[in-house]
Amino acid sequence: MADDEIILEDLSDEELVQQMHDDLYDGLKEEIEDGTRILLKRGWTPYDILTQALVEGMRIVGIDFRDGILFVPEVLLSANAMKAGMTILRPLLAETGAPKLGKMVIGTVKGDIHDIGKNLVGMMMEGAGFDVVDLGINNPVENYLEALEREQPDILGMSALLTTTMPYMKVVIDTMKEKGLRDDYVVLVGGAPLNEEFGKAVGADAYCRDAAVAVETAKDYMRRKHNQLAAG
Ligand code: B1M
């Protein structure tokens, strides 16, 4: 073992989280898996590990990607490391035993291959008691329409991370309108470049800033739906 090798187990929580940010930056998958397991063993909740160690680490990666310090191959390694941590947390988040609240179909729009945020939303929705059908990345409108017909969900979720792909959400919603389907579903949209105004402009029911907001918004719509059914 090299003298300067870091023993993750020996670090304090704060140092370990800091180290995980560095390891995510360096795309070190196994270290991220180890760090995730150690924090779990120390009693951290899956949600705190997700937000404080993984999402925060990816935020730092995003800054240096934007500034031309990191490039696509490096960021891909970071993304893979992040996904490895998320894979460990996923069953724990889904295991809450929450009663079934509804069903959501979610996918990243055509032209866009970013899926970490979408996956995170899917995981948190499962944890809150939703059945989630994940359409993956790069979805043309046909994929969404087929999935709506096949799965009959309560909610359609769309994700976009690029300013060039986010307008495609309007294509999907407009097509739903043309086919008379729009009002059959709650449409939620999200992704880093979006905002409230954009959500309204494309005709979505709501813009969700992050996965926690997506869960709260989805629950809120399901409550309203049940109240309407009870009243009608
Ligand atoms: Co990309 N990329 N990328 N990238 N990438 C961004 C988005 C960028 C902002 C980086 C930058 O310049 N600062 C920039 C976009 C600029 C713009 O459009 N204005 C960018 C670019 C330019 C590109 C390429 C064009 C680079 C190139 O090829 N030259 C290329 C495009 C590929 C394509 O899609 N066609 C590209 C490629 C890639 C990688 C493949 C290397 C990799 C993706 C790997 C993967 O996803 N499997 C990647 C990554 C990792 C990023 C950054 C660094 C991180 C994204 C991420 O995972 N964040 C990103 C920088 C950034 O966003 N600041 C960047 C962590 C994640 C948890 O957050 O996805 O925002 P986020 O999700 C949040 C919320 O937004 C929300 O909840 C999530 C959880 O809280 N949310 C939803 C997301 N979807 C939702 C759906 C909902 C609700 C909420 O539905 C209901």
Side-chain angles (χ1 to χ4, degrees):
M1 188 201 303
D3 282 348
D4 57 354
E5 190 168 325
I6 295 162
I7 314 286
L8 296 180
E9 295 269 12
D10 292 348
L11 301 178
S12 68
D13 284 12
E14 201 183 321
E15 287 165 343
L16 178 55
V17 168
Q18 184 58 53
Q19 185 60 40
M20 285 175 75
H21 295 166
D22 292 350
D23 289 343
L24 200 71
Y25 192 95
D26 294 333
L28 302 176
K29 181 169 171 257
E30 280 173 26
E31 282 75 358
I32 289 298
E33 288 171 338
D34 290 346
T36 302
R37 290 200 186 95
I38 294 170
L39 287 177
L40 281 172
K41 254 197 296 183
R42 291 184 187 175
W44 278 52
T45 63
Y47 182 73
D48 282 349
I49 301 173
L50 258 181
T51 49
Q52 294 178 40
L54 302 181
V55 174
E56 174 58 15
M58 194 46 102
R59 190 187 67 79
I60 299 164
V61 169
I63 293 170
D64 278 6
F65 189 28
R66 179 196 64 205
D67 295 345
I69 298 165
L70 288 176
F71 296 94
V72 169
E74 293 152 321
V75 176
L76 262 178
L77 288 178
S78 300
N80 283 342
M82 169 130 187
K83 283 184 176 183
M86 286 166 66
T87 303
I88 295 172
L89 299 175
R90 182 181 182 159
L92 304 172
L93 279 167
E95 219 173 49
T96 55
K100 283 289 164 223
L101 293 181
K103 189 172 189 180
M104 175 190 229
V105 161
I106 188 165
T108 303
V109 298
K110 186 175 167 184
D112 201 320
I113 64 167
H114 295 85
D115 66 355
I116 293 174
K118 164 188 69 64
N119 296 350
L120 223 155
V121 172
M123 279 166 55
M124 298 266 301
M125 291 288 292
E126 279 177 355
F130 285 84
D131 284 326
V132 175
V133 179
D134 188 341
L135 304 181
I137 54 174
N138 193 21
N139 282 287
V141 60
E142 295 79 18
N143 288 10
Y144 290 108
L145 295 181
E146 277 165 26
L148 292 179
E149 166 129 27
R150 187 179 64 239
E151 305 290 345
Q152 298 293 315
D154 305 287
I155 300 167
L156 171 65
M158 288 189 277
S159 179
L161 265 286
L162 299 171
T163 45
T164 49
T165 57
M166 61 188 212
Y168 197 75
M169 292 176 167
K170 183 160 166 30
V171 174
V172 177
I173 293 173
D174 284 351
T175 311
M176 288 171 74
K177 282 184 189 157
E178 277 162 30
K179 300 202 175 283
L181 299 171
R182 173 63 189 88
D183 295 338
D184 297 345
Y185 307 96
V186 172
V187 180
L188 304 181
V189 295
L194 279 61
N195 57 31
E196 201 92 38
E197 204 183 342
F198 175 83
K200 284 203 185 91
V202 296
D205 289 296
Y207 154 72
C208 307
R209 188 181 66 240
D210 59 28
V213 171
V215 167
E216 283 318 308
T217 311
K219 279 184 177 171
D220 201 36
Y221 273 101
M222 293 314 293
R223 262 193 299 269
R224 286 192 220 172
K225 190 170 173 174
H226 287 135
N227 288 345
Q228 269 167 14
L229 286 175

